[in-house]
Amino acid sequence: MARHARQPGEPAEGGRRGRVATEQAPRPAPGLERGPSHRWWVLGVIGLAQLMVVLDATIVNIALPSAQQDLGFSDGNRQWIVTAYALAFGSLLLLGGRIADLVGRRVVFLTGLVGFAVASAIGGAAPSFEILVLARALQGMFGALLAPAALSLLTTTFTVPKERAKAFGIYGAIAGAGGAVGLLLGGVLTEYLNWRWCLYVNLLFALVAFVGGARLLTAGAPADRPKLDIPGTVLVSAGLFCIVFGFSNAETHPWSSPQTWGFLLAGAVLVAAFAWWQTRAAHPLLPLRVVLDRDRAASFLGMFISGAGMFGVFLFLTYYLQKSLLYSPVSTGAAFLPMVAVMIVTSVTTTNALVPRFGAKPIVPLGMGLAAAAMMWLTTLDLSSGYLAHVLPPLICLGLGLGMVFATAMNLATAGVAARDAGVASAMVNTSQQVGGSIGTALLNTLATSAATDYLAGRRPTPAAVAQAQLESYSTAYWWSAGFFAVGLLVTVLLYRRGVPRAHLAEQPEAARA
């Protein structure tokens, strides 16, 4: 630990000035000697890559109608543009995180960027529906490499508690707000260029992030390299695939269909078998030491539950603004910007000032409660609602709540993790949010559709009745989302420890010596 006592202006150890290395934790990585400003450049690179992955989950939604008209695929096949990405991304995240631990986070990060960019170019130039679906699956596959590598780079770069709090505040805001940014960017690109640019834009993001990553991140495999758990990898990848596929099918097939419950049952069995295997494997893919810590388990569950509720509001509030209030795609995206701004400010404030003083126990449950209140507030919207008086206030409330949840949960989910487990712990954060989002979107879509059908039963399908049926469907989705967040409040208030998190306490003496 002597290396951390270097005074300002003193040469870096081994002459390794000007490079940011991120393979060792919990001590700061060798390249940090160049000064704090370069760590923040690294955060910019990592944040840009994460934004690209997160916004891609929603940016294509805005482009779907135009893509469907251009390529001529059916309504029944439309869901595969979204599902192909979710299937590959959700099922391969844990494997991607372990590969980052095995090979080295820098090389996996850069490989993920290049692969994601190439897949985006293929999708943008797709001459047919089949090629577009293949490109989306490839995006998901390389995203599963990129996302955990990015978060584990952040984990191992920022180890001093104050800087870590600021970094995770910004990163958490990006992860939470990326969906809304995707809606805005997708609307602008679709309205003023065409749908293909919703995929081509990733080339710009990837190029900037690649140049920055190649200059700022240090090459090299981890010193304590784990071995790959092949049986565990097969079990969890297949299990997550079945779960995401089953819930995706629920949007177009009844719950009684074998294509729905059959895949869900198979997924549950495979994930249970994976959990059993992890207790016996010599080199487990997801070591129990990563998930059995109370604060970490609470953080994973918090990301899962809030992911389910968050993706629901993006989907249904987008439909409400466009279908009921007749907003353009650009106006719809812009309507979410105040929520994004509040989320960023709240994330930074929470992790930098509140959690180090009060701990996560009061913060994350409060955020869940505010998000639940925002969802209940949204149920009051009707066809005569205005943006400033009726839509904006619950969005501000939701931004406050999600800002408290995401940054705090991401920070504690990866705090105190050994270097050899940083990739897989980071992957668990992304897996929790992605699988939660897939489950939440499918459940809410099914429940909303049923509510609309029930409202129209026995009524003439006049334009007024259809418009009111849409409002009923949105309201049903908001109520269920509120229920998700209420469960999140209960879970996190029970699981999080009181007081300042152990990882922060453990790091403070080291920070004082730095």
Side-chain angles (χ1 to χ4, degrees), residues 62 64 81 128 133 147 266 379 432:
I62 297 291
L64 264 180
I81 307 300
S128 66
V133 170
T379 63
S432 299

Side-chain angles (χ1 to χ4, degrees), residues 2 16 33 77 115 156 165 220 233 302 317 370 389 410-411 461 478 482:
R16 295 175 64 185
E33 295 87 341
N77 285 331
T156 52
T233 299
L317 192 55
L370 286 172
M410 285 185 168
N411 192 344
Y478 301 147

Side-chain angles (χ1 to χ4, degrees), residues 173-230:
I174 291 171
V181 174
L183 293 173
L184 174 61
L185 188 58
V188 171
L189 293 173
T190 302
E191 191 164 327
Y192 295 109
L193 295 172
N194 64 54
W195 68 269
R196 296 183 184 274
W197 281 95
C198 291
L199 292 158
Y200 286 144
V201 72
N202 290 326
L203 298 176
L204 177 61
F205 287 129
L207 176 63
V208 175
F210 184 89
V211 171
R215 289 176 60 87
L216 294 169
L217 303 176
T218 298
D224 186 10
R225 183 183 299 196
K227 294 184 179 179
L228 185 61
D229 172 20
I230 295 177

Side-chain angles (χ1 to χ4, degrees), residues 129-161:
F129 167 74
E130 291 77 14
I131 299 298
L132 181 57
V133 170
L134 174 64
R136 291 287 288 162
L138 287 173
Q139 279 185 311
M141 183 179 74
F142 284 105
L145 285 176
L146 183 57
L151 183 53
S152 59
L153 282 168
L154 190 70
T155 300
T156 52
T157 298
F158 292 90
T159 58
V160 177

